[in-house]
Amino acid sequence: MASPSGAVRPARSLVIFGLIVAALYALVFFTGDKSPTPKLGIDLQGGTRVTLTARTPDGSTPSQDSLRRAQEIIETRVNGLGVSGSEVVIDGDNLVITVPGDDSSQARTLGQTARLYIRPVLGSQAAGAAQTAPPTTPEAPAAETPAPEPATEAPEPQNRPFPAQAQEPTTEAPAATTTEAPAPDATQVPEGTSQTDEAAAEIAAAKATRQSTDPAVQQQAMASLDCSASDPLQGNDDPTLPLVACSTDGTTVYLLGPSIIDGQEIADATSAFNSQQARHEVSLEFKSDASNTWAQFTSANIGKQAAFTLDSKVVSAPVIQGATPAGSATSITGNFTATSAKELANTLKYGSLPLSFEASEAETVSATLGLASLEAGLIAGAIGLVLVLLYCLIYYRMLGILTALSLILSGLLVYAIMVLLGRYIGFTLDLAGIAGLIIGIGMTADSFVVYFERIKDEMREGRSFRSAVPRGWARARRTILSGNAVSFIAAAVLYVLAVGQVRGFAFTLGLTTILDVVVVFLVTHPLVHLASKSAFWSKPSVNGLGAVTEVARERKTAAASAQVKES
């Protein structure tokens, strides 16, 4: 690296590179799960496959357009950066999600319908104690704060807005709604498979009890609701009706009023750690209309409780501590880990699915073929690398050692970054990504060749090795930057336009292109500059530039002879 005055400070450049490598490996070994290995893709480590079966409220067959939109949303959730290595495919009327590793919870989370509603809490009680502890009445929702939610009731975290008229829907709903709701259970289910009929009947029966406007039916639903069983109403609840729902941890049953704010009004969702409350939270920003409504309801319902429901379950039921100004963000709190908070924020950020899904049992996907391909590829790559290094040693002599050292340091840098990307953004390394890395490292070797050939050009003009290095670098760096810029643009375009594993290839290719510039500027050029100052490295027999020096002498002799003849 050159200073403004034109002086080269190789020691400073090498120290900077050393600090970068040290910082990366400090993060690798002392942060996160401290695993020093990259995450592997499905084709290299196998994975877990979960089949999602669509459930429509009327039991009809889901349209292919709805399935395609659900596929796109799930792909966006899991591949927000395009490098997670997961697969989402349509199989008939189902979606099949395959994720790397043996943890099926991630695939199941991806299938969340993500229908978020903010509902007022009209009553609550501990699950399993319903027969002896009737729910609070709608007239006094603030008098009973559920014991199982201590983490969400801490004073003065983010404020949340809720409706002033939260209790009105239980008295305004027409009686016809409660008397007619059970009818679809047996008579209005469309023709189809028995599984479809059964699903439609379960949804209709759940709505008839858990979304009734009759207080007696509501209390009976709270008394009989089993929070440990699968929820047939998941993602299919009517936001305009009351709802009896369980908390996500299954400890509390809530009676909720009609929805005030729809999750479709979410403008952005992020996860963060609240250091003051020592807990993970999901921060939400609403669009303008919902934000204004939110501010009005907050000011009118201080001290009352309300619920964030996701797919018919209560994620959090905090107490409103104060009014929230319009445009301010709010937080969903609960028993979140860093991973679960991030997954929920990602799910809410990219929107709800057009269908609700029921997940099947997880299946293990073998990686035998991928591992065999990886082994063959690594052997081929090692052979190719050895041949390249032998060629450099024969052609460039000791300069080939500098090439080998630069490639090794580049490999160390790439490896640490792969580990950290897998840890922090879910990057998984598959065969396509490895191909991108190999091509990128090959481009790094190309940069060395460009540099060395520029030096040889300068020496053919009669300059010494010492004077040829800075002149050759001045000419080579423009070529190196131009070549890498073209490669990076190509990788960026491919990343934007491609899907699936091709995006992983483009990502690693672009990453190694950037690292090529870092290695050449901070390692290769400083090392060559130091070599040019050494009497040992300046020997033609050592640096392999003897033939070039001989050509320079012949040219000089020929020029001198021509001058003598002219005179």
Side-chain angles (χ1 to χ4, degrees), residues 38-96:
K39 288 186 177 180
L40 300 180
I42 299 170
D43 54 354
L44 298 182
Q45 70 158 335
T48 304
R49 179 185 293 122
V50 174
T51 300
L52 303 180
T53 303
R55 295 169 61 98
T56 56
D58 59 358
S60 61
T61 301
S63 66
Q64 288 299 307
D65 181 62
S66 297
L67 286 171
R68 280 192 295 269
R69 284 190 287 122
Q71 179 191 27
E72 292 173 357
I73 292 172
I74 293 177
E75 285 179 338
T76 305
R77 290 178 184 176
V78 69
N79 290 332
L81 294 174
V83 294
S84 70
S86 298
E87 297 177 350
V88 184
V89 297
I90 298 176
D91 181 16
D93 295 337
N94 302 326
L95 289 181
V96 179

Short mmCIF file of all heavy atoms in Angstrom, two decimals, residues 38-96:
data_model
loop_
_atom_site.label_atom_id
_atom_site.label_comp_id
_atom_site.label_asym_id
_atom_site.label_seq_id
_atom_site.Cartn_x
_atom_site.Cartn_y
_atom_site.Cartn_z
N PRO A 38 -17.43 -24.57 9.00
CA PRO A 38 -18.55 -23.92 8.31
C PRO A 38 -19.79 -24.80 8.33
O PRO A 38 -19.70 -26.03 8.47
CB PRO A 38 -18.02 -23.75 6.87
CG PRO A 38 -16.56 -23.99 6.93
CD PRO A 38 -16.33 -24.90 8.08
N LYS A 39 -20.95 -24.19 8.18
CA LYS A 39 -22.18 -24.96 8.03
C LYS A 39 -22.23 -25.50 6.61
O LYS A 39 -21.93 -24.79 5.65
CB LYS A 39 -23.40 -24.08 8.29
CG LYS A 39 -23.60 -23.71 9.75
CD LYS A 39 -24.90 -22.97 9.94
CE LYS A 39 -25.15 -22.67 11.42
NZ LYS A 39 -26.42 -21.94 11.63
N LEU A 40 -22.61 -26.76 6.49
CA LEU A 40 -22.67 -27.40 5.18
C LEU A 40 -24.10 -27.44 4.67
O LEU A 40 -25.05 -27.47 5.44
CB LEU A 40 -22.09 -28.81 5.27
CG LEU A 40 -20.64 -28.93 5.73
CD1 LEU A 40 -20.21 -30.38 5.77
CD2 LEU A 40 -19.71 -28.12 4.83
N GLY A 41 -24.23 -27.45 3.35
CA GLY A 41 -25.53 -27.49 2.72
C GLY A 41 -26.13 -28.88 2.71
O GLY A 41 -25.53 -29.86 3.18
N ILE A 42 -27.32 -28.97 2.15
CA ILE A 42 -28.04 -30.24 2.12
C ILE A 42 -27.25 -31.30 1.38
O ILE A 42 -27.21 -32.47 1.78
CB ILE A 42 -29.42 -30.04 1.46
CG1 ILE A 42 -30.25 -29.05 2.28
CG2 ILE A 42 -30.16 -31.36 1.34
CD1 ILE A 42 -31.52 -28.62 1.59
N ASP A 43 -26.61 -30.91 0.27
CA ASP A 43 -25.92 -31.90 -0.55
C ASP A 43 -24.64 -32.40 0.10
O ASP A 43 -24.05 -33.38 -0.37
CB ASP A 43 -25.61 -31.33 -1.93
CG ASP A 43 -24.86 -30.00 -1.87
OD1 ASP A 43 -24.67 -29.48 -0.75
OD2 ASP A 43 -24.47 -29.49 -2.93
N LEU A 44 -24.18 -31.75 1.17
CA LEU A 44 -22.94 -32.16 1.82
C LEU A 44 -23.15 -32.80 3.19
O LEU A 44 -22.40 -33.68 3.60
CB LEU A 44 -21.99 -30.96 1.97
CG LEU A 44 -21.54 -30.31 0.67
CD1 LEU A 44 -20.58 -29.17 0.97
CD2 LEU A 44 -20.88 -31.32 -0.25
N GLN A 45 -24.18 -32.37 3.93
CA GLN A 45 -24.39 -32.95 5.26
C GLN A 45 -25.76 -33.60 5.40
O GLN A 45 -26.10 -34.14 6.45
CB GLN A 45 -24.24 -31.86 6.33
CG GLN A 45 -25.39 -30.85 6.31
CD GLN A 45 -25.54 -30.11 7.63
OE1 GLN A 45 -25.14 -30.63 8.66
NE2 GLN A 45 -26.10 -28.93 7.61
N GLY A 46 -26.55 -33.58 4.33
CA GLY A 46 -27.90 -34.10 4.45
C GLY A 46 -28.81 -33.05 5.07
O GLY A 46 -28.41 -31.91 5.30
N GLY A 47 -30.05 -33.41 5.30
CA GLY A 47 -30.97 -32.43 5.84
C GLY A 47 -32.23 -33.08 6.38
O GLY A 47 -32.33 -34.30 6.52
N THR A 48 -33.19 -32.22 6.68
CA THR A 48 -34.48 -32.66 7.20
C THR A 48 -35.58 -32.16 6.29
O THR A 48 -35.60 -30.98 5.93
CB THR A 48 -34.69 -32.13 8.63
OG1 THR A 48 -33.60 -32.54 9.46
CG2 THR A 48 -35.99 -32.63 9.21
N ARG A 49 -36.47 -33.05 5.92
CA ARG A 49 -37.56 -32.69 5.01
C ARG A 49 -38.88 -32.74 5.77
O ARG A 49 -39.19 -33.70 6.47
CB ARG A 49 -37.61 -33.65 3.82
CG ARG A 49 -38.75 -33.33 2.84
CD ARG A 49 -38.84 -34.36 1.73
NE ARG A 49 -37.68 -34.27 0.85
CZ ARG A 49 -36.86 -35.28 0.61
NH1 ARG A 49 -37.07 -36.45 1.19
NH2 ARG A 49 -35.84 -35.14 -0.21
N VAL A 50 -39.66 -31.66 5.63
CA VAL A 50 -40.99 -31.58 6.24
C VAL A 50 -41.99 -31.25 5.15
O VAL A 50 -41.78 -30.31 4.36
CB VAL A 50 -41.03 -30.50 7.35
CG1 VAL A 50 -42.45 -30.34 7.88
CG2 VAL A 50 -40.09 -30.87 8.49
N THR A 51 -43.07 -32.01 5.09
CA THR A 51 -44.13 -31.76 4.11
C THR A 51 -45.23 -30.94 4.77
O THR A 51 -45.74 -31.31 5.83
CB THR A 51 -44.72 -33.08 3.59
OG1 THR A 51 -43.68 -33.84 2.97
CG2 THR A 51 -45.81 -32.81 2.56
N LEU A 52 -45.59 -29.82 4.15
CA LEU A 52 -46.64 -28.95 4.65
C LEU A 52 -47.91 -29.18 3.85
O LEU A 52 -47.92 -29.00 2.63
CB LEU A 52 -46.22 -27.48 4.55
CG LEU A 52 -44.92 -27.07 5.27
CD1 LEU A 52 -44.66 -25.59 5.05
CD2 LEU A 52 -45.00 -27.38 6.75
N THR A 53 -48.97 -29.58 4.53
CA THR A 53 -50.25 -29.83 3.88
C THR A 53 -51.16 -28.63 4.09
O THR A 53 -51.39 -28.21 5.22
CB THR A 53 -50.92 -31.09 4.47
OG1 THR A 53 -50.02 -32.20 4.32
CG2 THR A 53 -52.22 -31.39 3.75
N ALA A 54 -51.68 -28.09 2.99
CA ALA A 54 -52.52 -26.89 3.06
C ALA A 54 -53.87 -27.22 3.69
O ALA A 54 -54.44 -28.29 3.46
CB ALA A 54 -52.71 -26.31 1.67
N ARG A 55 -54.35 -26.28 4.51
CA ARG A 55 -55.66 -26.42 5.14
C ARG A 55 -56.46 -25.16 4.83
O ARG A 55 -56.10 -24.07 5.26
CB ARG A 55 -55.53 -26.58 6.66
CG ARG A 55 -54.84 -27.86 7.09
CD ARG A 55 -54.51 -27.81 8.57
NE ARG A 55 -55.71 -27.67 9.39
CZ ARG A 55 -56.32 -28.69 9.98
NH1 ARG A 55 -55.89 -29.91 9.82
NH2 ARG A 55 -57.38 -28.48 10.73
N THR A 56 -57.51 -25.29 4.06
CA THR A 56 -58.38 -24.16 3.74
C THR A 56 -59.60 -24.20 4.64
O THR A 56 -60.06 -25.28 5.02
CB THR A 56 -58.83 -24.20 2.27
OG1 THR A 56 -59.48 -25.45 2.01
CG2 THR A 56 -57.62 -24.07 1.33
N PRO A 57 -60.17 -23.03 5.00
CA PRO A 57 -61.30 -23.01 5.94
C PRO A 57 -62.51 -23.80 5.46
O PRO A 57 -63.22 -24.40 6.27
CB PRO A 57 -61.62 -21.51 6.04
CG PRO A 57 -60.33 -20.83 5.70
CD PRO A 57 -59.68 -21.69 4.68
N ASP A 58 -62.77 -23.82 4.15
CA ASP A 58 -63.95 -24.53 3.64
C ASP A 58 -63.63 -25.94 3.15
O ASP A 58 -64.49 -26.62 2.61
CB ASP A 58 -64.60 -23.74 2.51
CG ASP A 58 -63.65 -23.50 1.34
OD1 ASP A 58 -62.48 -23.92 1.43
OD2 ASP A 58 -64.09 -22.90 0.34
N GLY A 59 -62.37 -26.38 3.33
CA GLY A 59 -62.00 -27.72 2.93
C GLY A 59 -61.75 -27.91 1.45
O GLY A 59 -61.54 -29.03 0.99
N SER A 60 -61.76 -26.83 0.68
CA SER A 60 -61.55 -26.94 -0.77
C SER A 60 -60.07 -27.16 -1.08
O SER A 60 -59.20 -26.92 -0.26
CB SER A 60 -62.05 -25.68 -1.47
OG SER A 60 -61.34 -24.54 -1.02
N THR A 61 -59.80 -27.60 -2.30
CA THR A 61 -58.43 -27.81 -2.74
C THR A 61 -57.75 -26.46 -2.97
O THR A 61 -58.33 -25.59 -3.64
CB THR A 61 -58.40 -28.62 -4.05
OG1 THR A 61 -59.04 -29.88 -3.82
CG2 THR A 61 -56.97 -28.86 -4.52
N PRO A 62 -56.57 -26.24 -2.43
CA PRO A 62 -55.90 -24.95 -2.64
C PRO A 62 -55.53 -24.74 -4.09
O PRO A 62 -55.19 -25.69 -4.81
CB PRO A 62 -54.65 -25.07 -1.76
CG PRO A 62 -54.40 -26.53 -1.64
CD PRO A 62 -55.75 -27.18 -1.64
N SER A 63 -55.60 -23.51 -4.54
CA SER A 63 -55.26 -23.19 -5.93
C SER A 63 -53.75 -23.23 -6.11
O SER A 63 -52.99 -23.01 -5.16
CB SER A 63 -55.80 -21.82 -6.31
OG SER A 63 -55.14 -20.81 -5.56
N GLN A 64 -53.32 -23.51 -7.34
CA GLN A 64 -51.89 -23.53 -7.63
C GLN A 64 -51.28 -22.14 -7.46
O GLN A 64 -50.13 -22.01 -7.08
CB GLN A 64 -51.66 -24.04 -9.06
CG GLN A 64 -51.91 -25.52 -9.22
CD GLN A 64 -50.99 -26.36 -8.35
OE1 GLN A 64 -49.77 -26.21 -8.38
NE2 GLN A 64 -51.58 -27.25 -7.56
N ASP A 65 -52.07 -21.10 -7.72
CA ASP A 65 -51.56 -19.74 -7.53
C ASP A 65 -51.25 -19.48 -6.06
O ASP A 65 -50.22 -18.89 -5.73
CB ASP A 65 -52.59 -18.73 -8.05
CG ASP A 65 -52.10 -17.30 -7.92
OD1 ASP A 65 -51.08 -16.96 -8.54
OD2 ASP A 65 -52.74 -16.52 -7.17
N SER A 66 -52.13 -19.95 -5.16
CA SER A 66 -51.89 -19.77 -3.73
C SER A 66 -50.67 -20.55 -3.29
O SER A 66 -49.86 -20.07 -2.49
CB SER A 66 -53.12 -20.22 -2.93
OG SER A 66 -54.24 -19.42 -3.23
N LEU A 67 -50.51 -21.75 -3.82
CA LEU A 67 -49.34 -22.56 -3.47
C LEU A 67 -48.05 -21.90 -3.96
O LEU A 67 -47.04 -21.90 -3.26
CB LEU A 67 -49.47 -23.96 -4.07
CG LEU A 67 -50.47 -24.90 -3.39
CD1 LEU A 67 -50.65 -26.16 -4.21
CD2 LEU A 67 -50.02 -25.24 -1.98
N ARG A 68 -48.09 -21.33 -5.17
CA ARG A 68 -46.90 -20.67 -5.70
C ARG A 68 -46.54 -19.44 -4.87
O ARG A 68 -45.36 -19.18 -4.59
CB ARG A 68 -47.10 -20.28 -7.16
CG ARG A 68 -46.92 -21.44 -8.14
CD ARG A 68 -46.84 -20.95 -9.57
NE ARG A 68 -48.10 -20.35 -10.00
CZ ARG A 68 -49.08 -21.02 -10.59
NH1 ARG A 68 -48.94 -22.33 -10.82
NH2 ARG A 68 -50.20 -20.42 -10.95
N ARG A 69 -47.56 -18.68 -4.46
CA ARG A 69 -47.28 -17.50 -3.62
C ARG A 69 -46.75 -17.93 -2.26
O ARG A 69 -45.84 -17.29 -1.71
CB ARG A 69 -48.55 -16.65 -3.47
CG ARG A 69 -48.87 -15.83 -4.72
CD ARG A 69 -49.96 -14.82 -4.48
NE ARG A 69 -51.26 -15.45 -4.36
CZ ARG A 69 -52.07 -15.34 -3.31
NH1 ARG A 69 -51.69 -14.63 -2.27
NH2 ARG A 69 -53.24 -15.96 -3.29
N ALA A 70 -47.29 -19.00 -1.70
CA ALA A 70 -46.78 -19.51 -0.43
C ALA A 70 -45.33 -19.98 -0.59
O ALA A 70 -44.49 -19.73 0.28
CB ALA A 70 -47.65 -20.66 0.07
N GLN A 71 -45.04 -20.64 -1.69
CA GLN A 71 -43.66 -21.08 -1.96
C GLN A 71 -42.71 -19.90 -2.03
O GLN A 71 -41.62 -19.92 -1.45
CB GLN A 71 -43.61 -21.87 -3.27
CG GLN A 71 -42.22 -22.36 -3.65
CD GLN A 71 -42.17 -22.89 -5.07
OE1 GLN A 71 -42.95 -22.48 -5.93
NE2 GLN A 71 -41.25 -23.81 -5.34
N GLU A 72 -43.12 -18.84 -2.73
CA GLU A 72 -42.26 -17.66 -2.86
C GLU A 72 -41.99 -17.00 -1.51
O GLU A 72 -40.88 -16.58 -1.21
CB GLU A 72 -42.90 -16.66 -3.82
CG GLU A 72 -42.95 -17.14 -5.27
CD GLU A 72 -43.73 -16.20 -6.16
OE1 GLU A 72 -44.29 -15.20 -5.63
OE2 GLU A 72 -43.82 -16.45 -7.37
N ILE A 73 -43.04 -16.91 -0.67
CA ILE A 73 -42.88 -16.26 0.64
C ILE A 73 -41.97 -17.08 1.53
O ILE A 73 -41.08 -16.54 2.21
CB ILE A 73 -44.26 -16.05 1.30
CG1 ILE A 73 -45.08 -15.02 0.51
CG2 ILE A 73 -44.09 -15.58 2.74
CD1 ILE A 73 -46.51 -14.89 0.99
N ILE A 74 -42.14 -18.40 1.53
CA ILE A 74 -41.29 -19.25 2.37
C ILE A 74 -39.85 -19.20 1.87
O ILE A 74 -38.91 -19.15 2.67
CB ILE A 74 -41.82 -20.70 2.37
CG1 ILE A 74 -43.16 -20.75 3.09
CG2 ILE A 74 -40.82 -21.63 3.05
CD1 ILE A 74 -43.81 -22.12 3.10
N GLU A 75 -39.65 -19.20 0.56
CA GLU A 75 -38.30 -19.07 0.02
C GLU A 75 -37.67 -17.75 0.43
O GLU A 75 -36.48 -17.68 0.74
CB GLU A 75 -38.33 -19.19 -1.51
CG GLU A 75 -38.52 -20.62 -2.02
CD GLU A 75 -38.56 -20.68 -3.53
OE1 GLU A 75 -38.86 -19.64 -4.16
OE2 GLU A 75 -38.33 -21.77 -4.09
N THR A 76 -38.47 -16.70 0.44
CA THR A 76 -37.95 -15.39 0.86
C THR A 76 -37.59 -15.40 2.33
O THR A 76 -36.58 -14.83 2.74
CB THR A 76 -39.00 -14.30 0.59
OG1 THR A 76 -39.38 -14.33 -0.78
CG2 THR A 76 -38.44 -12.92 0.90
N ARG A 77 -38.41 -16.07 3.15
CA ARG A 77 -38.11 -16.15 4.57
C ARG A 77 -36.78 -16.86 4.83
O ARG A 77 -35.92 -16.38 5.57
CB ARG A 77 -39.22 -16.91 5.31
CG ARG A 77 -40.54 -16.18 5.41
CD ARG A 77 -41.55 -17.07 6.10
NE ARG A 77 -42.88 -16.45 6.16
CZ ARG A 77 -43.95 -17.05 6.63
NH1 ARG A 77 -43.87 -18.30 7.10
NH2 ARG A 77 -45.12 -16.45 6.65
N VAL A 78 -36.64 -18.04 4.21
CA VAL A 78 -35.46 -18.86 4.52
C VAL A 78 -34.23 -18.40 3.76
O VAL A 78 -33.11 -18.52 4.23
CB VAL A 78 -35.75 -20.34 4.23
CG1 VAL A 78 -35.90 -20.60 2.75
CG2 VAL A 78 -34.65 -21.22 4.79
N ASN A 79 -34.42 -17.86 2.56
CA ASN A 79 -33.30 -17.45 1.74
C ASN A 79 -33.28 -15.94 1.58
O ASN A 79 -33.09 -15.42 0.49
CB ASN A 79 -33.37 -18.11 0.35
CG ASN A 79 -33.09 -19.58 0.42
OD1 ASN A 79 -32.37 -20.03 1.30
ND2 ASN A 79 -33.65 -20.35 -0.49
N GLY A 80 -33.49 -15.22 2.70
CA GLY A 80 -33.46 -13.77 2.63
C GLY A 80 -32.15 -13.26 2.07
O GLY A 80 -32.11 -12.23 1.41
N LEU A 81 -31.06 -14.00 2.31
CA LEU A 81 -29.76 -13.65 1.74
C LEU A 81 -29.40 -14.57 0.59
O LEU A 81 -28.35 -14.41 -0.02
CB LEU A 81 -28.67 -13.74 2.81
CG LEU A 81 -28.78 -12.72 3.93
CD1 LEU A 81 -27.74 -12.99 4.99
CD2 LEU A 81 -28.60 -11.32 3.38
N GLY A 82 -30.26 -15.54 0.29
CA GLY A 82 -29.99 -16.40 -0.84
C GLY A 82 -28.91 -17.43 -0.61
O GLY A 82 -28.43 -18.04 -1.56
N VAL A 83 -28.49 -17.64 0.62
CA VAL A 83 -27.34 -18.51 0.84
C VAL A 83 -27.58 -19.57 1.91
O VAL A 83 -26.65 -20.22 2.35
CB VAL A 83 -26.10 -17.67 1.24
CG1 VAL A 83 -25.67 -16.80 0.12
CG2 VAL A 83 -26.40 -16.83 2.49
N SER A 84 -28.82 -19.79 2.33
CA SER A 84 -29.06 -20.72 3.42
C SER A 84 -29.06 -22.17 2.95
O SER A 84 -28.94 -23.08 3.76
CB SER A 84 -30.38 -20.42 4.11
OG SER A 84 -31.45 -20.74 3.26
N GLY A 85 -29.22 -22.42 1.66
CA GLY A 85 -29.18 -23.76 1.14
C GLY A 85 -30.45 -24.55 1.30
O GLY A 85 -30.48 -25.74 1.01
N SER A 86 -31.54 -23.95 1.76
CA SER A 86 -32.80 -24.66 1.91
C SER A 86 -33.54 -24.74 0.58
O SER A 86 -33.30 -23.94 -0.32
CB SER A 86 -33.68 -23.99 2.96
OG SER A 86 -33.05 -24.00 4.22
N GLU A 87 -34.45 -25.72 0.49
CA GLU A 87 -35.21 -25.91 -0.74
C GLU A 87 -36.70 -25.93 -0.41
O GLU A 87 -37.11 -26.50 0.61
CB GLU A 87 -34.82 -27.22 -1.42
CG GLU A 87 -33.37 -27.28 -1.88
CD GLU A 87 -33.00 -28.62 -2.48
OE1 GLU A 87 -33.82 -29.56 -2.36
OE2 GLU A 87 -31.91 -28.73 -3.06
N VAL A 88 -37.50 -25.29 -1.25
CA VAL A 88 -38.95 -25.28 -1.09
C VAL A 88 -39.55 -25.63 -2.45
O VAL A 88 -39.37 -24.90 -3.43
CB VAL A 88 -39.48 -23.91 -0.63
CG1 VAL A 88 -40.98 -23.97 -0.38
CG2 VAL A 88 -38.75 -23.44 0.63
N VAL A 89 -40.25 -26.76 -2.53
CA VAL A 89 -40.82 -27.21 -3.80
C VAL A 89 -42.29 -27.53 -3.61
O VAL A 89 -42.74 -27.88 -2.51
CB VAL A 89 -40.07 -28.44 -4.36
CG1 VAL A 89 -38.63 -28.10 -4.66
CG2 VAL A 89 -40.15 -29.61 -3.39
N ILE A 90 -43.05 -27.42 -4.70
CA ILE A 90 -44.47 -27.77 -4.70
C ILE A 90 -44.61 -29.22 -5.12
O ILE A 90 -44.07 -29.65 -6.13
CB ILE A 90 -45.26 -26.85 -5.66
CG1 ILE A 90 -45.17 -25.39 -5.21
CG2 ILE A 90 -46.71 -27.29 -5.74
CD1 ILE A 90 -45.84 -24.42 -6.16
N ASP A 91 -45.33 -30.00 -4.32
CA ASP A 91 -45.57 -31.40 -4.62
C ASP A 91 -47.07 -31.65 -4.55
O ASP A 91 -47.63 -31.89 -3.47
CB ASP A 91 -44.82 -32.29 -3.62
CG ASP A 91 -45.02 -33.77 -3.91
OD1 ASP A 91 -45.46 -34.10 -5.02
OD2 ASP A 91 -44.73 -34.60 -3.02
N GLY A 92 -47.73 -31.54 -5.70
CA GLY A 92 -49.18 -31.67 -5.72
C GLY A 92 -49.84 -30.52 -5.00
O GLY A 92 -49.68 -29.36 -5.38
N ASP A 93 -50.58 -30.84 -3.93
CA ASP A 93 -51.23 -29.80 -3.12
C ASP A 93 -50.43 -29.49 -1.86
O ASP A 93 -50.94 -28.84 -0.94
CB ASP A 93 -52.64 -30.25 -2.72
CG ASP A 93 -53.56 -30.39 -3.92
OD1 ASP A 93 -53.28 -29.74 -4.95
OD2 ASP A 93 -54.54 -31.16 -3.84
N ASN A 94 -49.17 -29.93 -1.81
CA ASN A 94 -48.34 -29.74 -0.63
C ASN A 94 -47.10 -28.92 -0.98
O ASN A 94 -46.73 -28.79 -2.14
CB ASN A 94 -47.89 -31.09 -0.05
CG ASN A 94 -49.07 -31.98 0.31
OD1 ASN A 94 -50.12 -31.49 0.74
ND2 ASN A 94 -48.90 -33.28 0.13
N LEU A 95 -46.47 -28.39 0.07
CA LEU A 95 -45.15 -27.79 -0.05
C LEU A 95 -44.17 -28.65 0.72
O LEU A 95 -44.45 -29.07 1.85
CB LEU A 95 -45.13 -26.36 0.52
CG LEU A 95 -45.87 -25.27 -0.26
CD1 LEU A 95 -45.72 -23.93 0.45
CD2 LEU A 95 -45.36 -25.17 -1.67
N VAL A 96 -43.02 -28.92 0.11
CA VAL A 96 -42.00 -29.74 0.75
C VAL A 96 -40.78 -28.85 1.02
O VAL A 96 -40.18 -28.30 0.10
CB VAL A 96 -41.58 -30.94 -0.13
CG1 VAL A 96 -40.51 -31.76 0.57
CG2 VAL A 96 -42.80 -31.81 -0.44
#
